[in-house]
Amino acid sequence: MSVNRCMHLFRLRRRMSALTLSSTGALPDSRVCYGSTLRSNQHSPNSLSCIRGISSNSSSSTTPDTSLFVPLAFKADGSVEGSVGAELTQPLDKSELLKVLNRFYKRKEMQKLAADQGLDARLFHQAFISFRKYVLEMNALGAALHIILNDICCGAGHIDDIFPYFMLHAKQIFPMLDCMDDLRKISDLRVPANWYPEARAIQRKVIFHAGPTNSGKTYQAIQRYLTAKSGVYCGPLKLLAHEIFEKTNGMGVMCDLVTGEDRTFMDPEGRPAGHVACTIEMCSVNTPYEVAVIDEIQMIRDTSRGWAWTRALLGLCAEEIHVCGEPAAIEFVRELMYTTGEEMEVHTYKRLTPFSISDSALESLDNLRPGDCIVCFSKNDIYSISRQIEVRGLECAVIYGSLPPGTKLSQAKKFNDPEDPCKILVATDAIGMGLNLSIRRIIFNSLVKPNVNEKGEKHMETISTSQALQIAGRAGRFSSKFTEGEVTTMHRDDLVVLKDILSRAVEPIQTAGLHPTAEQIEMFAYHLPDATLSNLIDIFVSLSRVDGMYFVCNIDDFKFLADMIQHIPLNLRSRYVFCTAPINKKQPFVCTSFLKFARQFSREEPLTFDWVCRHISWPLPAPKNIKDLVHLEAAHDVLDLYLWLSYRFMDMFPDTAGVREIQHVLDDTIQQGVRNITRLIRATDPAAGAAALGRGGGGGAAPPRGRGASNRAPRLGVGQSSSLASRLVKDGLLTPDLLRQLQSEWSQEAAPPRPEGPRKNKKK
């Protein structure tokens, strides 16, 4: 061997030794770094541990869910020195090399060293598979690695010498290993009060107005709001924000309206008014106000939207914060205010009109009386019950969540009008907030409703005491013609359950929701530029640390939209904004429209009025059946989505005036359809209609009744098989009530046809 080649080999060995020492020596330094970071966080003067015990995942470094770490494709170093390693030593025997690598993989010491560097068993295995493939398939390895492997194969080296090269490879395919400390700091959510320096710079006065539904608590807060020089009302619904907007302007106080889809400025020149009524997600935490009103504060624990109440409560820059809600939230809000150093004053209110629980269930729709409201937790049940009411010669109004706000108000007005023959209301729990209704008696058709927990898991559960009180409290509303409210159930067995629910105390609120911000996700993306948005969110939640007062809100809807548009080229901020759009993912037409909007946006082609009209096939005809009505509701949601995006990307969604105009026309068309809903139900083909009801963006499967509910299977209709009927009911495509109605219609079809004239006369 020449002298030059020997000297080159010596330099390579020395470089390899230095690499080995630096890599192994980095292990304790990394552990010290993690520990010192943790210690500084734990002893921070802003720590919430002085107020409440910190939860387990904040008392030590959070262990990430490594199943979320997606390995990147390995990119070979272009500066590899050809076959220098083979020239200095000899070509490697692949079969012997495979044995060496497998021995390395099985060494417990290597697995432990890798775990200290952040590679748990899952990541270690994935990294080894990639490393082995690289070593065995590359035509030319780096000289240093080639020499090390050759020495080991020849018995002149130790198998542990592979570790530094293995870790270099692992950090290339798992880049988060090198920035785990930074990622943990970004996702540390333990002190959210410090996110709002403007609010912390002033001493706010917090007044809690506590009371049940119909106690006047919000009225008292609004009175103070009206007398202030400037103020903001933050409500959970567009209907509530619109109601306060109209009342404030009606009192001679100029007030603007801000919702996700609407901006209404009262000043002709567009200057902002001193007062604003908004949905809570839209409130500004940078604008100073004299008075702020936060309505329905108990929703701070909502698994999907709770973050908005947390943000408003901690971040609003107002001299006075008036909080309205259930007494069950008093102690928790007081505790949150301790973390900001602000005191809280509590005003309690009693219900203005009494309500009582009936001694008997309704049992039959023949027992309905004027002022009754039947509450269902399934749109299917609404269709079925409204049809049965119409058969009895009665008129009813219908309200459910997916109806446009204008249609809801129209149906509420129809029900409240003493001159209108409509005296019965069939509704979902959408009536719990935002509508003033003259209800004498609330009748629960069921006590079980679909629910989504913090983990995004869907299940059926009995309504809580808080939910039952919120709905039952709509009966006998103050200033309505009914001075006393009443509540009962449709089925006898459910009445016992309802009495038990209403006899319990409302569970005190213990946690508030949080949600990662666009800025936090952008910082994550800086460290993980090749990760998808959905993956970034998953890793963020996995690493996030919250104390016992908070939880991270459910992000399934966000991830659903992120995955849907992942293939579309968008910058991260735009992608994040699109994924926060409030859409109903159960509606295929809405999801398809969302995808087309994002694709058109990515091409930098403005979505014009003509484009939107072509997309929704405008003008849309009046509905002929339930399926048509469901499609009109979806089209209205698509126009809502356009308006929502137009206030985030004004240049790309420019034609808001035209879209808003056709949306008003569409609202009128939907109102017409809802007024004739029983005719639409009759016109719906039984088989196709059942499927439409099951898919129609409403409640999905009809929930079973509460404890003690009857388990009898519905009787079969004419010419129907028992297996088909049972399967339709089981899959949620039919409810038992709807099936019985279909049985009746099938029986009539099987009988000789009757003249149409007498039937019309009977209806009259």
Side-chain angles (χ1 to χ4, degrees):
M1 184 181 290
S2 68
V3 174
N4 288 338
R5 185 168 294 185
C6 288
M7 291 300 295
H8 184 65
L9 175 61
F10 173 75
R11 284 195 297 271
L12 287 173
R13 285 184 179 276
R14 186 170 61 178
R15 188 169 62 186
M16 176 273 297
S17 299
L19 177 61
T20 304
L21 289 173
S22 64
S23 297
T24 54
L27 297 179
D29 291 342
S30 297
R31 289 194 293 269
V32 170
C33 179
Y34 279 25
S36 63
T37 300
L38 175 62
R39 285 193 293 271
S40 66
N41 284 338
Q42 286 177 328
H43 291 88
S44 168
N46 293 324
S47 173
L48 298 185
S49 58
C50 60
I51 305 299
R52 168 176 271 191
I54 294 179
S55 63
S56 59
N57 69 335
S58 61
S59 60
S60 61
S61 292
T62 308
T63 302
D65 180 1
T66 55
S67 66
L68 304 173
F69 293 179
V70 179
L72 303 179
F74 179 74
K75 299 176 182 178
D77 186 359
S79 62
V80 172
E81 304 164 14
S83 57
V84 173
E87 291 179 13
L88 293 174
T89 55
Q90 63 184 8
L92 297 171
D93 183 344
K94 300 293 184 181
S95 60
E96 188 64 29
L97 192 56
L98 179 61
K99 294 177 184 178
V100 168
L101 292 173
N102 287 338
R103 281 167 48 208
F104 169 82
Y105 175 73
K106 293 176 182 178
R107 279 183 60 77
K108 299 296 183 184
E109 292 85 352
M110 296 299 96
Q111 295 177 21
K112 185 177 184 304
L113 282 173
D116 290 339
Q117 289 280 284
L119 285 177
D120 64 4
R122 180 196 300 271
L123 297 186
F124 181 80
H125 176 74
Q126 289 180 295
F128 173 75
I129 296 298
S130 177
F131 180 68
R132 183 177 64 186
K133 181 179 180 181
Y134 161 69
V135 170
L136 294 177
E137 296 183 2
M138 280 293 291
N139 293 326
L141 298 173
L145 176 57
H146 187 107
I147 293 171
I148 286 291
L149 293 173
N150 181 74
D151 286 353
I152 296 172
C153 291
C154 296
H158 196 281
I159 198 168
D160 291 0
D161 292 341
I162 299 175
F163 183 76
Y165 301 94
F166 168 75
M167 281 306 303
L168 286 175
H169 182 91
K171 289 181 178 180
Q172 279 190 275
I173 66 172
F174 292 115
M176 63 284 297
L177 296 176
D178 263 342
C179 55
M180 197 61 73
D181 275 352
D182 290 331
L183 296 180
R184 283 193 172 97
K185 289 176 183 176
I186 295 168
S187 57
D188 190 341
L189 308 179
R190 289 176 295 176
V191 196
N194 289 353
W195 301 351
Y196 309 102
E198 292 91 348
R200 299 292 77 77
I202 61 176
Q203 188 65 27
R204 306 181 306 171
K205 180 181 179 181
V206 181
I207 300 99
F208 195 120
H209 300 267
T213 304
N214 195 22
S215 60
K217 56 185 183 296
T218 305
Y219 171 82
Q220 295 298 330
I222 292 299
Q223 293 306 110
R224 176 66 186 97
Y225 163 83
L226 291 172
T227 60
K229 295 178 181 177
S230 62
V232 57
Y233 168 83
C234 308
L237 300 172
K238 288 183 283 187
L239 284 174
L240 282 171
H242 196 272
E243 179 185 347
I244 298 301
F245 164 73
E246 289 189 334
K247 284 185 176 179
T248 305
N249 284 295
M251 297 288 290
V253 178
M254 187 177 290
C255 176
D256 295 336
L257 175 67
V258 177
T259 69
E261 302 81 13
D262 194 7
R263 307 285 190 281
T264 302
F265 297 100
M266 296 305 295
D267 186 90
E269 298 181 4
R271 289 189 295 264
H275 289 68
V276 60
C278 64
T279 46
I280 193 155
E281 286 88 352
M282 299 305 299
C283 70
S284 169
V285 294
N286 301 315
T287 306
Y289 300 102
E290 182 181 348
V291 170
V293 177
I294 304 175
D295 207 357
E296 306 293 353
I297 189 62
Q298 68 274 6
M299 290 190 70
I300 199 170
R301 65 179 166 192
D302 186 82
T303 56
S304 298
R305 299 177 64 203
W307 63 269
W309 276 263
T310 305
R311 173 177 172 271
L313 183 60
L314 297 178
L316 279 171
C317 297
E319 298 170 24
E320 293 181 23
I321 306 287
H322 290 257
V323 179
C324 308
E326 296 176 355
I330 292 176
E331 292 308 316
F332 179 74
V333 173
R334 193 193 306 275
E335 199 168 351
L336 277 184
M337 294 302 97
Y338 286 154
T339 69
T340 64
E342 294 162 336
E343 296 182 358
M344 188 175 82
E345 179 182 315
V346 179
H347 298 170
T348 57
Y349 305 85
K350 293 183 179 180
R351 184 176 166 87
L352 298 174
T353 57
F355 85 88
S356 58
I357 306 174
S358 301
D359 294 327
S360 59
L362 186 72
E363 299 196 78
S364 171
L365 295 178
D366 293 328
N367 299 324
L368 286 172
R369 291 176 288 179
D372 281 351
C373 172
I374 303 176
V375 175
C376 309
F377 297 115
S378 163
K379 194 196 285 189
N380 298 0
D381 285 345
I382 284 185
Y383 294 149
S384 171
I385 289 173
S386 60
R387 174 76 176 95
Q388 295 177 56
I389 291 173
E390 190 262 353
V391 167
R392 288 165 170 78
L394 301 174
E395 288 192 32
C396 67
V398 173
I399 296 175
Y400 49 87
S402 59
L403 287 176
T407 304
K408 291 177 184 174
L409 290 171
S410 172
Q411 289 290 293
K413 182 179 180 181
K414 176 182 178 182
F415 174 71
N416 289 337
D417 186 355
E419 304 300 324
D420 196 291
C422 171
K423 301 300 179 186
I424 309 295
L425 175 64
V426 184
T428 63
D429 53 345
I431 64 165
M433 295 180 190
L435 291 169
N436 292 320
L437 297 163
S438 184
I439 299 172
R440 183 184 62 84
R441 179 172 59 172
I442 290 286
I443 303 160
F444 284 94
N445 184 58
S446 169
L447 297 175
V448 181
K449 66 173 293 186
N451 194 28
V452 179
N453 62 20
E454 293 176 23
K455 297 179 181 179
E457 300 166 341
K458 297 180 181 179
H459 57 282
M460 306 296 291
E461 66 176 22
T462 304
I463 60 174
S464 66
T465 301
S466 175
Q467 291 169 330
L469 288 171
Q470 184 77 30
I471 298 169
R474 310 305 288 180
R477 186 171 180 82
F478 182 73
S479 77
S480 74
K481 63 181 180 180
F482 301 112
T483 58
E484 184 173 347
E486 189 179 349
V487 60
T488 187
T489 59
M490 178 69 72
H491 308 284
R492 186 186 308 171
D493 295 335
D494 286 344
L495 186 57
V496 178
V497 181
L498 179 63
K499 288 181 177 179
D500 178 56
I501 292 172
L502 293 177
S503 67
R504 303 176 203 154
V506 178
E507 292 185 8
I509 293 172
Q510 297 180 337
T511 52
L514 297 173
H515 192 283
T517 65
E519 291 76 17
Q520 290 168 327
I521 299 303
E522 282 181 335
M523 287 190 284
F524 247 56
Y526 173 80
H527 292 288
L528 305 174
D530 296 311
T532 66
L533 178 56
S534 180
N535 192 224
L536 286 173
I537 288 286
D538 276 334
I539 296 173
F540 185 97
V541 174
S542 172
L543 291 175
S544 64
R545 289 185 285 179
V546 296
D547 85 339
M549 301 179 76
Y550 300 98
F551 66 91
V552 179
C553 285
N554 179 264
I555 53 171
D556 280 357
D557 288 349
F558 184 97
K559 287 174 54 186
F560 174 84
L561 298 181
D563 290 335
M564 188 190 301
I565 62 172
Q566 180 55 44
H567 65 287
I568 298 176
L570 296 170
N571 64 60
L572 183 65
R573 178 59 71 110
S574 297
R575 190 179 300 275
Y576 181 95
V577 172
F578 264 85
C579 294
T580 57
I583 75 169
N584 181 2
K585 66 180 184 181
K586 295 179 183 177
Q587 286 279 13
F589 182 63
V590 179
C591 293
T592 302
S593 302
F594 174 79
L595 192 60
K596 289 184 177 180
F597 283 8
R599 188 177 291 119
Q600 185 87 348
F601 179 90
S602 71
R603 298 171 184 153
E604 297 186 356
E605 299 175 3
L607 287 87
T608 63
F609 175 76
D610 291 338
W611 187 95
V612 173
C613 289
R614 286 195 303 272
H615 172 66
I616 66 171
S617 302
W618 185 262
L620 291 164
K624 298 178 181 178
N625 51 44
I626 289 296
K627 185 178 179 181
D628 290 348
L629 180 61
V630 169
H631 179 71
L632 292 183
E633 293 169 7
H636 192 280
D637 287 347
V638 170
L639 298 181
D640 257 352
L641 174 62
Y642 182 97
L643 294 172
W644 190 91
L645 290 167
S646 72
Y647 289 109
R648 280 87 183 160
F649 307 106
M650 296 182 182
D651 293 341
M652 298 300 293
F653 298 84
D655 295 335
T656 56
V659 169
R660 196 176 301 282
E661 183 178 342
I662 66 172
Q663 190 182 43
H664 288 318
V665 176
L666 180 57
D667 197 338
D668 293 338
T669 306
I670 294 173
Q671 289 181 38
Q672 177 187 346
V674 173
R675 282 195 294 267
N676 300 310
I677 193 166
T678 53
R679 180 179 59 79
L680 301 184
I681 296 171
R682 287 199 306 272
T684 302
D685 176 73
L693 300 187
R695 294 191 304 264
R705 296 200 298 272
R707 186 192 318 159
S710 171
N711 293 320
R712 289 184 303 170
R715 292 179 300 171
L716 298 176
V718 176
Q720 302 301 308
S721 95
S722 59
S723 59
L724 175 60
S726 301
R727 189 164 69 251
L728 288 173
V729 173
K730 181 180 179 181
D731 292 344
L733 299 178
L734 279 177
T735 66
D737 288 339
L738 186 57
L739 182 57
R740 282 190 286 271
Q741 181 60 39
L742 290 174
Q743 291 164 2
S744 174
E745 293 187 5
W746 289 329
S747 299
Q748 292 174 8
E749 290 173 3
R754 296 180 179 180
E756 190 65 19
R759 182 180 177 185
K760 290 184 178 179
N761 293 337
K762 181 179 179 181
K763 184 177 180 180
K764 290 181 182 179

